[in-house]
Amino acid sequence: MTKRKILILVAALAVVAGVVVAQYTPWLYWTFLPKEQIDEIVGEASGETALSTIIDINGYNRDRLSAEYAGPFVETQVILNRLKQYGIAAELVKYPAANELWDGVKGELWEMKPRHQKLASMRDMVPMLASGSQPTDVTADLVWVGRGTPAEIDAAKVEGKIAVTEGSLAAVHNYACNQKGALGVIGIAISRPYFDSLQMPWAGIGGRRGGGGGQRGAAPGQPPAAAAQPPQQPAQPQPKPKFGFQLPVREGDFLKQRLMTNEKITVHAVVESKQEKYNNEDIVALIPGTDPNAGEIIFSAHLFEGFTKFGANDNTSGSATILEVARLLNTCFQEGRLPKPKRTIRFLWGPEIGGTGMWVKANKAIMDKTLCNINMDMVGEWLSKNQAFMCLMRTTFGNAHYINDVMENYYRYVGEGNRERIQNRGDAYKVPLRIVAPFGADEPFWYSIETHYGASDHEVFNDWGVRVPGVMMIAWPDRWYHTSGDLPDKSDATQLKRAAAIGAAGAYTVATADDNMAVKIAGEIASNAARRLGHYLVVGLETLNKATDKTLLDAFKEARGYVEGGMLNEKDTLDSILQLATDKAGVGAYVAQMKKSVEATGAAHLATLQAHMEAMAKKLGAKLVKIEPSELDKKAMKIVPRTTAKMTAEGHQGYQKYLGAVPQDQRLKFPYTGELFTTNELQLLINGKHNVLELKSLLDAQSQRKSTVKGIMNYLQILKLAGLVEF
Ligand SMILES: [Zn+2]
């Protein structure tokens, strides 16, 4: 077929693809799994069972008593008991913790003069005592410090008093108590005061001793921590913390009004707390596959986020839902309603990121045969109450993998099938695929397929030293996120049922996938690729629309970079399919066809960008621009880096020590800070197939911040010095 015919064919394909995506076919709802199997999974999924697990673990914000720190923690016990009840093999793995945990025993704050009344008590609400608060028994006056800026605190003369603030409790404690002699601090702030004036943050004072335990990534909404950072300075010794109390805004506002009218209020504060030894507890459960050499799929959910904070949604819901996935699949297998899969399905619960990382590091052999990870974090909230969407956070391009499209298939099935379309108004079930829990909401499944976001346990699997592509299922936003209000009354059995069904269907698709399924998935990836590349085309067009005569060349380069980066990612994703194939040659031939179709789609879009550039040049009265590779570009095109065995030899984060060992003077020869979107993603993109210019396209297509060829080349030199990469 001539090049011209291919371009026309593909242009036609793109249009057809556009149509399919834009308006959904109201009569077609499909899944990779056959209808009878998806119906079994959806039917068996019980949102109420997952909700009952949430209530057993986090029915209220519990004061963790001292004896519990010896283990197992209540969360661990509940999951283990249920796995036993379900007849699923499970193991508790303990990792002794290096640090001790803060444990609040008593926290009472009473007004003594002019009134005699209780202001705060840990007995009423556990988060009323800020974690990290140290034993104390003082009577002192309150002083208002407003938002708690240094200027406000200086003006308030807080020495020997207790500061009251509507600013950050930790920041005010740090300045007023650690530097200005205040005895303690009371916070009345919340990030969303006007929505629910009763919710309080799980605030802490004094760094990690505040009940932290385990390590966390950046919280959702915070920028990913992986940007290129200079080596850390040794930690400065911290002054001994004092104490902090939190009041819900509704109650705290009375204190604020009274203090702002200069009322003199004297309070008595009593705090008892202690440090506890503990173990990080990981639970591992297993549904063995029929073929031990066929690989595994692993579910993850953090059961703990520190040991003071609780969260029905974050993340008891994820923990309860992967447990429900285990129960429903195991039940269907035991009852012969679903054929047992050839691949093993594993489940991991533990302290967020830290605990997961310990187990993953200790089980490299299992990780080496694990195909992908499905991480559930905050999946059980009532969507409409939170004005939230159920999101699928795809992997980055560096972990290109079919699991993205497998999960999208089930999100779409539930999302498109659980909304009323006018075309279906004549049907008995106006909602064609009604998936609703008897005790849950009866509402659409607002879903969204998103680009990558970290900050949860999938990042342990996505790590360069592990390379198990991990996606995250997360409902966002959560209006009670990280507050005392994150309780089961905000959870929804329907949402839990749907999340369990989607997780189970996605994992079962991979666990049973044979060559026919591999072909089916590859075909759908090619279709989704057309849609995704279509999006990159319009991003490119918009980049050109914004160009001036001076920036037209750079805009054209950037516009082409989106499509080229997208194409490379789609082809890498298609290559990952071969993992599932027994007949590698046969499936490989089909995958090669699909890659051709991606190339043709991409070529059509690059032709469109060429035409648009010409139109923009005409509009701007500028000359047509032509991309001429520079000397550096020509050199970069010849460099195709690949990783060494050393890079994965020690599993999770094992490569860091080699990176850290590169002498500073060597590092300084190859500056990259500010010239690289993220070092993590560049590491992940190194696969022995992409040259440096392609690495740039793959990085740039994922970020508003663009990387430079020089920055990439320099960072590769450092990886080479560390012995992790060769070229
Ligand atoms: Zn979480």
Side-chain angles (χ1 to χ4, degrees), residues 315-326:
N315 185 33
T316 312
S317 69
S319 302
T321 306
I322 69 166
L323 178 67
E324 176 55 15
V325 170

Side-chain angles (χ1 to χ4, degrees), residues 216 302 305 314-315 352 377-378 455-456 481-482:
R216 274 213 68 232
H302 70 87
E305 186 170 349
D314 187 16
N315 185 33
E352 185 165 21
D377 198 340
M378 303 169 58
S456 186
Y481 176 66
H482 282 200

Side-chain angles (χ1 to χ4, degrees), residues 142-197:
L142 299 182
V143 59
W144 177 249
V145 298
R147 305 281 316 155
T149 60
E152 286 171 293
I153 293 170
D154 291 344
K157 300 191 174 35
V158 297
E159 184 157 8
K161 296 183 176 170
I162 297 170
V164 182
T165 181
E166 58 188 358
S168 153
L169 191 86
V172 171
H173 174 270
N174 191 27
Y175 188 71
C177 297
N178 292 345
Q179 298 173 45
K180 296 295 173 175
L183 300 176
V185 62
I186 298 170
I188 64 169
I190 180 77
S191 51
R192 292 172 289 279
Y194 308 109
F195 165 64
D196 172 354
S197 65

Side-chain angles (χ1 to χ4, degrees), residues 224 226 392-399 404 449-456 458-459 462 470-472 677-678 680-681 684 702:
L392 175 72
M393 312 314 289
R394 292 165 49 87
T395 63
T396 65
F397 288 10
N399 275 306
N404 293 306
I449 308 300
E450 304 273 346
T451 57
H452 171 266
Y453 195 82
S456 186
H458 57 309
E459 291 307 85
N462 283 323
V471 294
M472 172 162 69
F677 153 39
T678 140
N680 276 28
E681 181 57 7
L684 290 167
Q702 298 181 81

Side-chain angles (χ1 to χ4, degrees), residues 625-688:
V625 294
K626 195 166 184 311
I627 298 174
E628 305 286 1
S630 66
E631 284 316 306
L632 185 64
D633 289 345
K634 287 178 190 155
K635 202 170 149 210
M637 257 185 261
K638 294 192 191 94
I639 296 174
V640 180
R642 54 193 176 278
T643 55
T644 64
K646 198 173 165 183
M647 191 283 285
T648 48
E650 291 159 52
H652 184 243
Q653 297 274 301
Y655 52 89
Q656 290 293 8
K657 70 176 181 200
Y658 300 113
L659 256 181
V662 176
Q664 193 54 16
D665 62 329
Q666 292 291 323
R667 266 175 183 278
L668 292 173
K669 286 189 198 146
F670 304 106
Y672 59 85
T673 310
E675 305 214 28
L676 211 46
F677 153 39
T678 140
T679 52
N680 276 28
E681 181 57 7
L682 175 55
Q683 292 164 351
L684 290 167
L685 286 166
I686 297 166
N687 66 358

Side-chain angles (χ1 to χ4, degrees), residues 104 128 141 176 286 305 400 454 489 502 541 587 608 646 688 696 726:
M128 277 183 155
D141 292 344
L286 199 68
E305 186 170 349
D489 63 326
I502 289 171
L541 293 170
V587 174
T608 306
K646 198 173 165 183
K696 176 174 164 41
E726 53 195 14

